[in-house]
Amino acid sequence: MAKFLAFGEIMLRLSPPGRELLLQTPRFDVWVAGAEANVATALAKLGHDVGFASRVPDNDLGRSAIATLRGHGVDTRAIQTGGDRMGLYFVTSGAGMRATEVIYDRAYSAFAEAPATAWDWDALLDGVDGFHLSGITPALGPVPAQSAIAAVRAAAARGIPISFDGNYRAKLWERWDGDPRALLTQLVEHAELLFGNHRDIALLLDRDFAGHDGEDRRRDAAEAAFAAFPKLRTIASTARHVENVDLHRVSARIDTRDGHAQTEEVVLAGIVDRIGGGDAFASGVLHALRRGGDIGDAAATGLALTALKHSLPGDASLFRQADIDAYLAGGLDVRR
């Protein structure tokens, strides 16, 4: 198998063209989507040996999703076929002071219905030296939650470093009577790298950090998480200030037990699509760390990739190292 493995649901995203309202005209733009699939795609485009484990129906929708990932360089041998339906979600892009809106249609998908016993972790984790998943999988229901817990326990038992993205999705958790704090804690306790901010940590620890300001709040939250989770070594997060749908200010931060790295804020103007920006950030951080970079390099690379992702429609970052280098070098004139 590939050296780095991501696990989660691969879906299709359907969006009205341009910035139309849903079904304003009877057309959709369609992209292959899913948080963990986005990370796998971005890392593959950046030259990493990465695979993706998931399950899709054995029909044209599932086969198209597999073909898309394979076309981006992802090892798709761990994607199973079975079940009846493809997970979908609909994104109506915002404009000006109208926010972007998401509608999920993921219930009873092939991935959500796959039993925990469907995943042969001995085989899937053979040769793997990095494993990534997110809080979206347990949010899908009790069976996917069991699968995620089994996955991290298997990876931890083999000494494989685990990265976990909180990705809290209230709309998904509200569909069933799961306990997000209890379930997410069972995943984070095995992770070495957590993608999440003070709000994610507040959920995990049932503790409010709202009384603190800015960097102090983020450091206090990080230190509380390090105290609660002995295996946790690194926490990576972004801070976003939304002026309007087309103008955001974003910075990145990485905390370790011994210190932190904080970027300057960058202005993202003329945003094309913000969906997938967090997955791009995670990919940039993982990319830098897997290449031996320090936390300052990882924070800068993560921010660069999320900034670039805002210029691209669809969910996944499709940029290469040369694009990151050009962004970090500055200058927006035509490159001839």
Side-chain angles (χ1 to χ4, degrees):
M1 296 301 299
K3 286 192 173 182
F4 187 91
L5 183 69
F7 172 62
E9 180 169 31
I10 186 171
M11 305 183 294
L12 296 180
R13 166 185 161 184
L14 291 80
S15 290
R19 295 190 170 185
E20 293 182 8
L21 298 176
L22 194 67
L23 294 178
Q24 181 177 334
T25 55
R27 294 180 297 165
F28 285 115
D29 293 326
V30 183
W31 289 279
V32 172
E36 302 86 356
N38 293 341
V39 170
T41 296
L43 288 175
K45 298 297 284 189
L46 289 166
H48 296 269
D49 182 11
V50 57
F52 185 62
S54 191
R55 189 175 189 239
V56 297
D58 187 14
N59 58 30
D60 286 344
L61 299 178
R63 287 189 286 271
S64 178
I66 292 173
T68 298
L69 284 192
R70 187 183 298 123
H72 291 314
V74 177
D75 184 339
T76 61
R77 288 177 292 171
I79 301 180
Q80 305 175 13
T81 56
D84 296 322
R85 67 182 304 267
M86 191 83 183
L88 308 174
Y89 84 116
F90 299 82
V91 177
T92 302
S93 295
M97 302 306 292
R98 171 169 60 86
T100 296
E101 184 176 356
V102 171
I103 298 174
Y104 292 112
D105 182 20
R106 305 174 68 164
Y108 309 109
S109 69
F111 180 82
E113 293 289 284
T117 55
W119 313 104
D120 181 355
W121 294 113
D122 283 333
L124 292 171
L125 295 171
D126 183 34
V128 168
D129 66 5
F131 183 63
H132 180 79
L133 74 167
S134 88
I136 294 177
T137 295
L140 295 175
V143 176
Q146 293 172 14
S147 297
I149 291 169
V152 296
R153 287 176 176 171
R158 290 161 177 77
I160 298 170
I162 296 166
S163 54
F164 180 79
D165 194 333
N167 271 337
Y168 184 76
R169 299 291 185 266
K171 287 185 178 181
L172 295 177
W173 283 106
E174 289 166 2
R175 287 189 58 254
W176 65 294
D177 60 353
D179 184 342
R181 180 175 296 115
L183 291 170
L184 294 175
T185 294
Q186 293 183 68
L187 300 173
V188 177
E189 67 185 5
H190 295 292
E192 293 189 11
L193 170 58
L194 171 66
F195 294 100
N197 58 24
H198 63 279
R199 289 182 292 272
D200 296 289
I201 296 169
L203 171 66
L204 290 168
L205 303 183
D206 193 18
R207 177 176 167 183
D208 187 6
F209 298 98
H212 305 270
D213 293 324
E215 293 188 24
D216 288 341
R217 175 174 57 192
R218 297 168 81 178
R219 184 61 196 178
D220 288 347
E223 289 179 348
F226 289 135
F229 300 106
K231 287 187 177 181
L232 191 59
R233 298 171 55 191
T234 308
I235 300 173
S237 63
T238 58
R240 180 187 299 266
H241 298 91
V242 179
E243 302 290 341
N244 58 58
V245 168
D246 301 301
L247 180 63
H248 297 183
R249 293 179 286 115
V250 182
S251 62
R253 179 184 177 95
I254 295 182
D255 285 273
T256 66
R257 292 179 178 269
D258 300 323
H260 72 277
Q262 172 76 48
T263 72
E264 296 294 324
E265 196 172 58
V266 299
V267 176
L268 304 181
I271 292 171
V272 173
D273 193 340
R274 69 166 284 181
I275 302 296
D279 304 325
F281 172 70
S283 305
V285 170
L286 286 165
H287 169 58
L289 293 178
R290 287 181 69 80
R291 296 205 316 169
D294 60 21
I295 61 172
D297 179 43
T301 303
L303 183 60
L305 206 59
T306 197
L308 289 169
K309 169 60 196 70
H310 283 69
S311 73
L312 189 69
D315 275 42
S317 168
L318 304 178
F319 298 99
R320 301 185 185 278
Q321 182 63 48
D323 301 305
I324 295 175
D325 293 341
Y327 171 87
L328 293 174
L332 294 175
D333 201 0
V334 177
R335 303 205 303 262
R336 302 181 189 275

